[in-house]
């Protein structure tokens, strides 16, 4: 099991191919991102005022991108919290394992794409904040 502090997460600036007829960003395994991408998922149609997240991962690395619109991400290592506003499709928030995350303030029509280092595995989740804090305190 992995653990991290909020200082281990960072906002990556992804390459942007800017042209008069629009922009393009591409992401290649282990180049712009520090892990092999095994899964992509995205959140969309989040009703106004709703939150997502509310969990931590034990081993999973993720990069979160606001493909469209904006939302905020609060990361919590059990001692300190750090808040990010994601609102640019060329920025990716690198979230290493062992950080609790809450996502809220989704703008209308926003899309949150997540690049993940592994397949979906419910056993990789902490969904109980007290259990997460207990685990962090033993690290
Ligand atoms: P969850 O990870 O809690 O979503 P979020 O943190 O973005 O709010 O997952 C919500 C539900 O979707 C949960 O029942 C598990 C399921 N799910 C999958 O089936 N596959 C996946 O890749 C993910 C991320 C979730």
């Amino acid at each position: 099991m992995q653990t991290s502090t909020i200082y281990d997460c960072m906002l990556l600036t992804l390459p942007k191919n800017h042209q008069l007829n629009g922009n393009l960003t591409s992401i290649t395994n282990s180049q712009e991102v520090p892990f092999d991408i095994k899964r992509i998922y995205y959140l969309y149609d989040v009703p106004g005022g709703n939150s997502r997240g509310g969990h931590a991962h034990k081993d999973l690395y993720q990069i979160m991108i606001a493909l469209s619109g904006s939302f905020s991400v609060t990361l919590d290592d059990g001692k300190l919290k750090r808040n990010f506003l994601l609102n640019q499709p060329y920025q990716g928030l690198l979230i290493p394992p062992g950080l609790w995350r809450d996502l809220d303030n989704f703008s209308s029509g926003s899309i949150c794409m997540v690049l993940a280092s592994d397949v979906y595995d419910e056993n990789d989740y902490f969904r109980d904040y007290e259990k997460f804090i207990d685990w962090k305190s033993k690290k």
Side-chain angles (χ1 to χ4, degrees):
M1 283 197 203
Q2 303 287 319
T3 191
S4 309
T5 75
I6 52 162
Y7 298 110
D8 298 315
C9 57
M10 68 180 81
L11 216 44
L12 307 173
T13 301
L14 304 166
K16 180 162 79 168
N17 181 293
H18 172 70
Q19 304 202 354
L20 290 179
N21 59 354
N23 299 326
L24 181 152
T25 291
S26 74
I27 300 167
T28 306
N29 258 351
S30 302
Q31 284 189 23
E32 294 83 8
V33 297
F35 56 81
D36 266 358
I37 300 161
K38 282 209 184 145
R39 174 171 52 119
I40 297 172
Y41 66 90
Y42 34 97
L43 299 169
Y44 54 99
D45 292 346
V46 178
N50 277 57
S51 307
R52 301 289 310 212
H55 63 255
H57 285 284
K58 298 172 188 171
D59 286 311
L60 192 73
Y61 285 77
Q62 293 179 310
I63 290 180
M64 223 168 250
I65 300 171
L67 274 195
S68 180
S70 63
F71 52 89
S72 64
V73 185
T74 305
L75 298 175
D76 175 355
D77 63 15
K79 290 194 174 125
L80 293 169
K81 292 186 184 183
R82 203 168 159 192
N83 188 264
F84 293 87
L85 175 69
L86 295 187
N87 59 3
Q88 299 292 349
Y90 57 84
Q91 285 185 326
L93 178 61
L94 173 65
I95 308 178
L99 295 174
W100 190 269
R101 84 285 317 276
D102 290 301
L103 280 66
D104 51 24
N105 295 322
F106 285 89
S107 69
S108 173
S110 57
I111 302 175
C112 168
M113 180 174 75
V114 182
L115 314 177
S117 64
D118 214 336
V119 298
Y120 170 72
D121 177 6
E122 189 59 35
N123 292 321
D124 189 63
Y125 282 73
F126 280 108
R127 292 196 184 270
D128 181 317
Y129 188 71
E130 298 310 320
K131 285 186 183 152
F132 165 70
I133 292 297
D134 187 50
W135 175 69
K136 290 295 272 189
S137 69
K138 291 175 183 148
K139 287 283 162 187

